[in-house]
Every structure is written in C-alpha cells, then in structure tokens.
Amino acid sequence: MSAVIENHHDDHHHGPAKGLTRWLYTTNHKDIGTLYLWFSFAMFLIGGAMAMIIRAELFQPGMQIVEPEFYNQMITLHGLIMIFGGVMPAFVGLANWLVPMMIGAPDMALPRMNNLSFWILPFAFFILLSSLFMEGGAPNFGWTFYAPLSTTYAPPSVTFFIFSVHIMGASSIMGAINVIVTIMNMRAPGMDLMKMPLFVWSWLITAYLLIAVMPVLAGAVTMMLMDIHFGTSFFNAAGGGDPVLFQHIFWFFGHPEVYIMILPAFGIVSHIIETFSRKQLFGYSSMVWAMLSIAILSFVVWAHHMFTVGMPLAAELFFMWATMLIAVPTGVKVFNWIATMFRGSITFETPMLFACAFVVLFTLGGFSGLMLAITPADFQYHDTYFVVAHFHYVLVPGAIFSIMAAVYYWIPKWSGNMYDERLGKLHFWLSFIGVNVTFFPQHFIGLAGMPRRYPDYALQFADWNMVSTVGAFLFGISQVFFLFIVIKTVMGGKKATDQVWEGARGLEWTVASPAPYHTFGTPPKVD
Amino acid sequence: MNNKGKTSVKFLGMTVIAMFFFSFALVPLYNVFCEVTGINGKVFQSENSQEYTAEVGRDVAVQFISSNNERMPWVFKPSNEVMGVVTGKYYNATFYVKNTTNKTMTAQAVPSIAPSNAAAHLKKLECFCFEQQELAPGEEALLPVKFLISNELPNQIKNVILSYTIFDITDYNQENLAHLEMHTEKN
C-alpha cells in the first residue's frame, strides 16, 4: 500500500494541468495535436460556410444573394482558409498525435516551439478574417494572389493578408522543423528508416517540402509588401519588374504545396488499407521511393499552372512531360493499395470506406490532372470549372477524406471510446454522394467553357450549376453531422480495446486506450 | 536535446533562411534567364554594333505597336506602323509622344517582341525604352529606336512585331530622384 503511494509521489508527470492554462501553456504533443485538430475543424466549417455562400450565389444565373465584390472576397478567403487553416493544420495535428507514438518517442523534440507554432495560428486567421470588416473589404484577388491584382489593384487590407501569410508560414516552418528533428533523432532503438511506419515517412518528406517552399512564399509576399509600400518594382512593369515573375515564384512554392497537402494522406491511407485488409502492406519500399520521387519532381513542374502566359515551346514540352512523369510514382502507390486489398479479408468499417473512396476519387482527380498537363489541351481548360473540379477532387475526397478516415481510425485511441459505426457509415455515404454531386458536374460545365471565379454565368450552364449547389449543401450539412459524431464519441461510447482494430499494427496500438498523457517514457524495443 | 538534435535544428534553420533569400535570388535569375534565352519578349541593349551586321540579308516586315497603360493620358504612336527591313542592317524608327496634360510627367516605355523566339535576334543599339522620358505640359517629342534584326532570325519568321507599352511613373520617379541625389552626395 505504502509503495503505491510513494510511487504516486515520485510520478510528477501523472496528468495534464487543469483549466484553460492547460491548453495555453501545454507542451504535450497530444494536447497540441488536439488543439491543431479542433482548430482545423473550426476553420473547415468557416471555409465551408463561405463555400455555401459561393454555391448559393451560383444556384441560378444572375446576381441573387451577394454583391460581386463580396463574392470575390469569398472565393479568396475560402481557398486560403481551407488550405492554410483546414488541411495543413489538420495534418500537423495528426503528426503531433501520431509521429511520437508511432516511433516510440515520449514527445516531440522541441515541445515549446511546438506550443508557439500552434498558438500563433489563431492570430494569423484572426487577422485574415478581420479584413472582412475593413474598409475596402477582405482580399479579393483569389487565393493565388497574382500581382499586380494583389498589389496595384488590391484593397488596403492586403497588408493584413500579407502579415497573416507570414505568420502561417512561420507556424508551418516551425512545425516542420519539429517533425524532422523528432523523426531523425527520437526513434526507438531498432527502428531504422526503412522500418518507419508510412505515415511517419510521408510526414518526413512533407516536412522537408515545407522547409524548402514556405520561405519562398514568405519571400513572395514580402516582395508584394515592398512593391505596395516601399516603392520597389518586383512585379510592376512600369519600374522594370515583371508580373509573370510573380507567377513563377508563386508556383515554385505552389506546386510542392500541393504535395504537402496530399503526401500525409498517402501515409494515412496506407495504414488504414493495411489494417482492414488484414494483410501486410504490399510494396513498402516502393511506397517510400514513390513518395520521394513525387516530392523531388514537384520542384520541376511548377510552370504547368501557367502554360498560357506565353512560354517557348521547349519549356512547355518540358513541363508537360515532367508533370506526366509524376503519374508513374502515383500509379505505383495506387497499384500497391489495390494489391494490398487483393485477397485480403476486408471489412468495411468507416475508416476503410473513406480510404477506399480516397483511392478511387483521388485517382479520378489525378486523371483530370493528367488531362490538364497536356499543354495544347490546357489552353482550352485553363481557368475553367474543369480546373475547379480537378483540384477539388484531389483535395476534398483526397486530402479531406483521408483526414476524416484518420479521425475515425485513431479516435478510439485518442478518446478511448468507439465512435458509433452506424452514424459513421451514414456520414461517409452522405459525404461520398455529396462530394460527387457537387464536383462531378463541374467537369461538364468546365469542358463546356464556364470560367472560374465569376459570380454569374451564361444560361447554358444553369442546370449543372443547380445540381452542383444541391450537392454542396448536402456535403456541407453532413460535415455538421460529422462534428456531432466527433463530439458524441469524445463524450462517451463503447470503450475501445488497446489494439482497437483486429488487423492494426504499429506502436501506437500497444499503449492503452485512451492513450495516457505520457507514453514511451522508456523507449520500446523494435525488432 | 542531444547534440545531434541541435545540429539538425541549426541545419534546418539555415535552410529556411537560405530558401527565403533564394526567393529573392529568383528575381535576377529570372532576368538573366530571359536575357540569355531571349524568351518572354524581353529586349536588352546590345553592346557591339558591328557583330550582327551582314552584307546580305533577307526581307522582313517590322510592325510597330504602341499602347498606353491605364490612366496614362499621353498620345503615343509609331511614326510608321510598318517598316520593310533587311536583316543584318541597322534602321532607325521613331515614336511620336505628346504630354496632353497640364503638368510635367515622367514616362517609361516597356518593350515586348512577338513572336517570342524573334526576341533574341532583335538587337537594339539605342532605344527610348532604356531611359525615362520627362515632358512638360503640352510638350511633344519623337523618340528614337535604332535596331537591327540579325541574320540568325529563324527562316519561318517573316514578320516581327515590336510593341511598346507606356507607363506613367511620375510618382515612382520622385522616389528614384531622391535615391539618385543621395548617391551623388556620397560621390
């Protein structure tokens, strides 16, 4: 008895602090992961509400609900919030929760920086969203903020936009440094690089991409700031600058950014398919090499976003072939997932449903990407709804489905409770139908020539736009339902076992459910 | 944290700083790249006047196009819209410009060449686009450009378009002048 009490006294790190300061001062990777995930969920709902405004305006041709100026602000903020506030922080949150547990480390390598990198994010988005209430309105130049639209012709709030991008960039860079240092230095003894779980691999590569390109984004917005306030002419033709240069710098950041938003999804989906197929993942090392080659290729394909600016034929051919080359490693991954499922004893719990939908719909988005990579065809597709359909297919049923799959898959480990399988499946089917009804018709209206970023359209596009809006509202409502499911699971439910899933492998399933506040104080031994 | 961790943090921090400066280095890199390859329709001043001249050349039509950037009220147009030239010989062309406002303004013309693969073969010895133009109210001028199209112009190109867009840089110019004065004081 006395021994137990003494033990209790020795253990200074037995649990979290109480109250609000727990969350403000926390350096615990699980707390910070939770903060990131809830923050990204809030941003997802705000960005989603903006998408509802956009789709409501496009329900019928003509101007009904909002002013065109406000519509432009909505498309800009929707894009920025979903990318920098929704998808990226959600993946950082998953990395915080899972990377230390998967490699058998007690915490992230730099816990205080971890706290800082989260807590500057709400300020960045407060600044960005507050610009809605400023004179001249919020940024209205699209999430790609091409100069001189975002410099000479921008509303005064552009300066706040620039600073908020600086803060988001600083947060991402600190998060990335933390992930790399953790993975490179804190793996349990015996865990070689080629024994790391694929989610850890995918985040290691993602973090290097972030380190390489987020500073370039910071440079681009800094140049904008100087053009606007300090009389430089980086992008101003009158002073010897070049607006096309902006597009090159932006997309030098922007294309690796696309893979920053999808590589962690590859890792997640590999784990889930492996678990629910009750088989070892097919082709582990080829998965790693595929992700590495995708990451390296991402630096030499940026100009495929700007085929129509006027490039020499040789450059257009180079960027076309380099882009198409990316289909090879991506194809390797898709075939590996299918080969993993082949002859497995598969069950379709909610995470597996989302993962299967990911494989099918992400591949579909990849194929429309291949169509866009064909330079001569791109002159037709450029800036139409076909592009909108393409990138929403890779981001919504791609990145976001993988995040939802991850939440269903790991929430029993995080909360200790099983989610309600019936509700989970219902959420999946509503999302699956909603996403396809929303975005599939956008392929048709895009090929028919409807341009993106306009609040109004010609009459011949009316029918499919109406269908798309109905789908968007279905998808939107089902995400409020998702919020309900998550809260219900956190509040209570059937207790989860430690392994949670029959086929689950990996160190995170060896600890108790819910995962104790501190795990792997002594490193586990990995064979 | 162990030493290996500290080394990684330092290395990654340096990489971040290096990539930030790399984004600024993209600006001169881009300009050098455009100059070397002649893409993007950019034209730079040629140094040697003898290097590209030739005895025998072929006929090419050069079209001149002028346009005003928005809110630039000056009259700006080429003296001749088309000029028949022979490759390997220098020609002079002029553009007429007039300040129609009642205040002194400064302008900068920015050139562009089409088709873009002709840009590398159009050599300018003199061009008003290399300088800024300041005109008093109502003042007019003929702006010269001395150019040559080299014999290496690809054979399928029969027609080269030289276009200029004129920008109002009066506000920019005052800042530049202040900058120049500081320099002269130092010297």
Side-chain angles (χ1 to χ4, degrees):
Chain A
M1 186 68 195
S2 64
V4 174
I5 291 166
E6 268 177 35
N7 243 341
H8 189 76
H9 274 279
D10 283 347
D11 189 359
H12 291 293
H13 303 286
H14 48 277
K18 296 275 178 279
L20 186 68
T21 50
R22 165 186 174 181
W23 301 103
L24 283 175
Y25 301 152
T26 184
T27 53
N28 180 286
H29 73 102
K30 300 185 181 80
D31 280 354
I32 292 171
T34 306
L35 285 170
Y36 264 113
L37 286 168
W38 277 114
F39 176 78
S40 69
F41 207 150
M43 286 298 133
F44 177 57
L45 294 178
I46 292 172
M50 289 170 175
M52 294 304 108
I53 294 172
I54 294 167
R55 282 317 318 172
E57 177 56 52
L58 295 174
F59 184 61
Q60 284 185 321
M63 299 305 303
Q64 281 94 23
I65 298 168
V66 294
E67 296 297 313
E69 294 77 16
F70 186 71
Y71 180 90
N72 290 344
Q73 297 170 24
M74 284 296 104
I75 54 165
T76 307
L77 289 180
H78 167 73
L80 290 168
I81 287 174
M82 286 303 201
I83 291 167
F84 294 104
V87 175
M88 288 168 68
F91 281 137
V92 180
L94 290 170
N96 261 295
W97 252 105
L98 297 170
V99 166
M101 292 208 307
M102 283 178 160
I103 62 173
D107 205 313
M108 298 293 277
L110 307 150
R112 289 178 201 197
M113 193 168 83
N114 207 8
N115 176 291
L116 180 65
S117 69
F118 172 76
W119 276 112
I120 59 177
L121 261 192
F123 294 95
F125 285 91
F126 175 76
I127 292 171
L128 184 63
L129 285 168
S130 68
S131 65
L132 273 170
F133 305 100
M134 290 174 191
E135 205 176 308
N140 56 5
F141 30 69
W143 87 272
T144 53
F145 51 99
Y146 280 6
L149 192 61
S150 61
T151 51
T152 315
Y153 307 99
S157 64
V158 64
T159 309
F160 289 89
F161 156 81
I162 289 170
F163 284 129
S164 75
V165 170
H166 274 138
I167 299 172
M168 292 168 204
S171 165
S172 293
I173 289 167
M174 287 193 283
I177 291 178
N178 217 338
V179 167
I180 295 175
V181 179
T182 308
I183 297 174
M184 297 314 280
N185 296 302
M186 297 177 66
R187 294 192 308 276
M191 185 175 281
D192 309 334
L193 281 177
M194 289 311 275
K195 279 185 190 165
M196 287 198 310
L198 273 178
F199 180 71
V200 179
W201 252 116
S202 70
W203 243 107
L204 182 65
I205 298 166
T206 304
Y208 272 110
L209 288 180
L210 281 166
I211 296 278
V213 299
M214 290 313 279
V216 176
L217 175 70
V221 292
T222 308
M223 288 179 218
M224 279 169 61
L225 188 76
M226 291 164 83
D227 269 13
I228 294 168
H229 294 292
F230 306 122
T232 58
S233 296
F234 286 105
F235 309 126
N236 187 338
D242 194 330
V244 176
L245 172 65
F246 177 87
Q247 297 186 29
H248 282 290
I249 297 176
F250 180 83
W251 287 114
F252 184 83
F253 146 78
H255 202 77
E257 168 71 13
V258 171
Y259 296 113
I260 287 166
M261 292 191 285
I262 204 65
L263 287 179
F266 290 165
I268 292 165
V269 166
S270 304
H271 287 292
I272 292 173
I273 289 179
E274 181 180 44
T275 296
F276 293 98
S277 304
R278 290 164 183 79
K279 271 176 66 188
Q280 199 171 2
L281 187 78
F282 184 86
Y284 170 89
S285 55
S286 67
M287 287 296 215
V288 173
W289 288 112
M291 285 194 287
L292 276 171
S293 32
I294 290 171
I296 291 163
L297 283 172
S298 75
F299 286 101
V300 293
V301 298
W302 76 88
H304 68 214
H305 296 270
M306 37 192 291
F307 280 143
T308 57
V309 294
M311 274 190 282
L313 192 63
E316 304 219 319
L317 281 170
F318 170 78
F319 286 110
M320 176 168 91
W321 288 116
T323 305
M324 291 186 156
L325 199 58
I326 294 185
V328 176
T330 315
V332 167
K333 300 197 73 74
V334 172
F335 282 114
N336 279 352
W337 289 322
I338 294 170
T340 307
M341 285 190 256
F342 180 68
R343 294 195 149 179
S345 43
I346 307 178
T347 49
F348 291 97
E349 283 89 345
T350 311
M352 184 62 167
L353 287 173
F354 274 107
C356 293
F358 171 94
V359 175
V360 175
L361 299 181
F362 174 78
T363 306
L364 208 153
F367 278 133
S368 59
L370 269 180
M371 289 170 73
L372 288 163
I374 303 167
T375 311
D378 183 71
F379 276 71
Q380 177 73 17
Y381 306 149
H382 187 83
D383 265 354
T384 67
Y385 258 78
F386 190 76
V387 179
V388 177
H390 157 68
F391 69 71
H392 279 95
Y393 256 92
V394 286
L395 282 175
V396 185
I400 291 177
F401 269 25
S402 83
I403 294 164
M404 289 173 179
V407 169
Y408 282 112
Y409 184 57
W410 279 293
I411 206 171
K413 181 55 66 189
W414 301 337
S415 70
N417 304 322
M418 294 303 286
Y419 61 89
D420 188 326
E421 191 64 55
R422 270 181 30 252
L423 297 185
K425 283 195 169 122
L426 181 63
H427 170 231
F428 167 75
W429 286 109
L430 290 174
S431 299
F432 182 82
I433 294 166
V435 91
N436 284 299
V437 173
T438 309
F439 297 114
F440 210 82
Q442 294 183 1
H443 290 115
F444 309 147
I445 50 179
L447 290 178
M450 178 171 160
R452 63 190 279 212
R453 293 185 164 146
Y454 286 88
D456 193 6
Y457 48 84
L459 291 178
Q460 68 266 31
F461 307 126
D463 294 348
W464 284 123
N465 266 297
M466 195 174 275
V467 171
S468 183
T469 297
V470 171
F473 275 87
L474 177 67
F475 186 79
I477 292 164
S478 50
Q479 301 329 311
V480 180
F481 182 52
F482 179 45
L483 177 66
F484 167 76
I485 296 173
V486 172
I487 292 173
K488 186 170 176 287
T489 310
V490 174
M491 303 292 279
K494 204 177 103 211
K495 293 292 157 223
T497 60
D498 289 357
Q499 202 198 0
V500 183
W501 309 106
E502 189 190 5
R505 302 154 193 268
L507 289 175
E508 79 268 31
W509 308 110
T510 61
V511 302
S513 294
Y517 200 56
H518 295 283
T519 41
F520 298 121
T522 44
K525 187 90 186 81
V526 181
D527 309 314
Chain B
M1 196 171 30
N2 57 18
N3 281 333
K4 206 177 147 213
K6 281 179 188 149
T7 318
S8 323
V9 174
K10 272 183 206 150
F11 168 74
L12 295 167
M14 296 298 278
T15 313
V16 168
I17 293 164
M19 285 310 290
F20 182 74
F21 285 106
F22 175 72
S23 71
F24 284 85
L26 282 171
V27 180
L29 278 174
Y30 176 78
N31 286 332
V32 168
F33 189 76
C34 288
E35 190 171 3
V36 170
T37 58
I39 58 176
N40 200 26
K42 284 209 170 189
V43 189
F44 298 88
Q45 188 161 15
S46 306
E47 298 278 321
N48 190 338
S49 59
Q50 298 305 311
E51 194 181 335
Y52 305 103
T53 51
E55 290 299 310
V56 188
R58 62 190 175 88
D59 293 334
V60 175
V62 179
Q63 272 178 280
F64 299 102
I65 295 178
S66 65
S67 53
N68 287 33
N69 186 242
E70 51 133 32
R71 282 183 245 135
M72 179 57 176
W74 290 15
V75 173
F76 176 54
K77 59 183 184 199
S79 305
N80 299 305
E81 288 190 356
V82 188
M83 197 169 174
V85 303
V86 176
T87 56
K89 290 197 168 55
Y90 274 102
Y91 291 85
N92 287 301
T94 52
F95 280 70
Y96 169 79
V97 69
K98 181 178 183 182
N99 182 356
T100 53
T101 65
N102 54 8
K103 57 181 198 290
T104 304
M105 286 176 70
T106 312
Q108 168 78 57
V110 176
S112 180
I113 310 283
S116 61
N117 53 347
H121 308 291
L122 191 128
K123 308 293 175 189
K124 287 183 182 173
L125 205 58
E126 270 175 53
C127 179
F128 58 93
C129 58
F130 298 142
E131 297 150 10
Q132 300 172 347
Q133 284 75 42
E134 189 177 286
L135 292 188
E139 192 183 344
E140 48 189 17
L142 276 180
L143 306 175
V145 50
K146 186 174 184 186
F147 69 94
L148 166 151
I149 293 177
S150 87
N151 258 344
E152 288 152 34
L153 184 77
N155 272 328
Q156 73 272 19
I157 300 176
K158 309 265 190 287
N159 192 355
V160 176
I161 298 167
L162 176 52
S163 79
Y164 288 96
T165 306
I166 196 163
F167 291 79
D168 172 13
I169 56 158
T170 311
D171 297 336
Y172 277 90
N173 196 44
Q174 277 158 358
E175 283 166 38
N176 283 351
L177 283 176
H179 185 68
L180 280 175
E181 272 165 18
M182 270 166 53
H183 266 273
T184 40
E185 270 171 23
K186 262 187 208 163
N187 298 338

